[in-house]
Amino acid sequence: YKLNRSFGRYYQAAFSETGLTYPKFVILMALSMDGPMSVSDLSGRAGVEANTLSPLLKKMAEFGAITRARAETDERRVDVAITPMGQEILDRARATITEGFKRLEIDPEQMLEALRFMEETRKKVEAADPPKLNLDGLP
């Protein structure tokens, strides 16, 4: 929890004067890595609830970083894609963060390995059926 909050503050400080936020960065990363997708799929991929995601996507589209379009096959579905400008913003943000990690003396390979481990762990926890605490027999 503390690490997550620390990263949030770190990214916020790195992006502070640009209007880019950590959630917007995550959205651009997901779209860059996985290509165009529906808002629903992006919500799952980015770990952001759809009702929180929609206002962010609207602002990002108005800015020109992404496109939003109704799917031709299902007008209820909105597809989202990164624009060339959005990719440029993402590339610059990634370079800034990479430089920051160098200053922190964090090995990029170790960071990627840690992120992979955390992602695998997250998936397992989300799919798990946790054991139930049994208080039978207590006074």
Side-chain angles (χ1 to χ4, degrees):
Y1 178 78
K2 285 183 178 182
L3 179 60
N4 184 46
R5 289 181 50 86
S6 295
F7 267 116
R9 285 191 299 271
Y10 186 80
Y11 281 94
Q12 183 179 4
F15 303 151
S16 65
E17 297 178 14
T18 66
L20 184 64
T21 62
Y22 186 67
K24 291 176 185 176
F25 176 74
V26 170
I27 291 164
L28 291 176
M29 285 286 291
L31 292 172
S32 179
M33 291 172 64
D34 297 334
M37 64 185 83
S38 70
V39 171
S40 177
D41 290 341
L42 181 56
S43 173
R45 176 73 172 93
V48 179
E49 295 296 326
N51 60 347
T52 302
L53 190 59
S54 292
L56 278 175
L57 295 177
K58 185 176 181 181
K59 289 178 186 175
M60 293 173 75
E62 288 170 357
F63 186 70
I66 64 165
T67 59
R68 297 181 324 151
R70 295 247 175 241
E72 291 181 17
T73 56
D74 182 355
E75 67 181 42
R76 296 170 297 174
R77 190 177 106 182
V78 176
D79 291 326
V80 185
I82 192 169
T83 64
M85 183 178 113
Q87 187 63 53
E88 179 65 25
I89 291 167
L90 177 61
D91 292 345
R92 289 181 185 194
R94 290 173 77 177
T96 298
I97 294 304
T98 299
E99 178 59 33
F101 285 160
K102 286 179 186 175
R103 291 181 189 177
L104 294 172
E105 297 179 4
I106 295 175
D107 181 289
E109 283 303 313
Q110 287 179 325
M111 175 61 76
L112 287 175
E113 186 59 36
L115 291 172
R116 279 191 283 269
F117 172 76
M118 288 186 285
E119 178 65 10
E120 289 172 18
T121 303
R122 182 196 58 79
K123 287 178 182 177
K124 289 177 182 178
V125 170
E126 287 180 354
D129 182 21
K132 305 295 183 222
L133 177 62
N134 183 347
L135 298 178
D136 292 343
L138 287 179

